């Protein structure tokens, strides 16, 4: 019954936790950079005419960010379901309880 108290799975070390956190920060930073570059390129003209965003630019940026995150979530869900399917096939999970 050691699985009830976490004994069935080894706990990550501090170094592993730090490495995982650093990787996560890199991933989030990369996503943010791709988002800002993509949406700025689509919505903000290269020749600045005003110091502030106009209404059209603001609406474009809002929609672009929304679509970016929507697509990102769909891709993540698809990748997770594909990985789960491969894991089920690799473990011989044919649904027969064998």
């Amino acid at each position: 019954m050691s699985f009830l108290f976490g004994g069935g799975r080894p706990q990550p070390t501090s170094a592993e936790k730090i490495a995982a956190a650093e990787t996560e920060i890199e991933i989030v930073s990369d996503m943010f950079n791709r988002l800002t570059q993509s949406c700025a390129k689509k919505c903000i003209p290269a020749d600045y005419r005003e110091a502030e965003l106009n209404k059209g630019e603001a609406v474009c940026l809002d929609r672009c960010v929304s679509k970016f995150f929507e697509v990102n979530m769909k891709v993540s869900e698809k990748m997770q379901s594909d990985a789960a399917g491969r894991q089920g096939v690799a473990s011989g999970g044919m649904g027969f309880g064998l």
Side-chain angles (χ1 to χ4, degrees):
M1 295 236 295
S2 64
F3 64 90
L4 294 176
F5 301 105
R9 179 174 12 159
Q11 298 297 319
T13 64
S14 292
E16 291 172 333
K17 289 178 184 179
I18 291 170
E22 288 173 345
T23 301
E24 187 171 351
I25 289 171
E26 288 176 15
I27 290 169
V28 170
S29 295
D30 178 60
M31 184 176 70
F32 176 78
N33 290 333
R34 286 186 292 120
L35 166 73
T36 54
Q37 288 173 356
S38 175
C39 291
K41 185 177 179 179
K42 290 178 185 175
C43 299
I44 301 173
D47 58 332
Y48 294 99
R49 297 183 189 138
E50 303 170 17
E52 302 293 323
L53 293 174
N54 64 37
K55 184 163 178 96
E57 293 166 341
V59 169
C60 179
L61 285 170
D62 185 50
R63 288 180 179 162
C64 182
V65 170
S66 178
K67 287 178 183 180
F68 187 93
F69 281 114
E70 183 179 337
V71 168
N72 193 26
M73 290 300 296
K74 287 182 179 182
V75 168
S76 295
E77 289 170 1
K78 175 69 173 151
M79 290 176 70
Q80 287 177 354
S81 68
D82 288 352
R86 284 192 306 271
Q87 206 172 33
V89 169
S91 66
M94 298 291 288
F96 297 112
L98 297 174

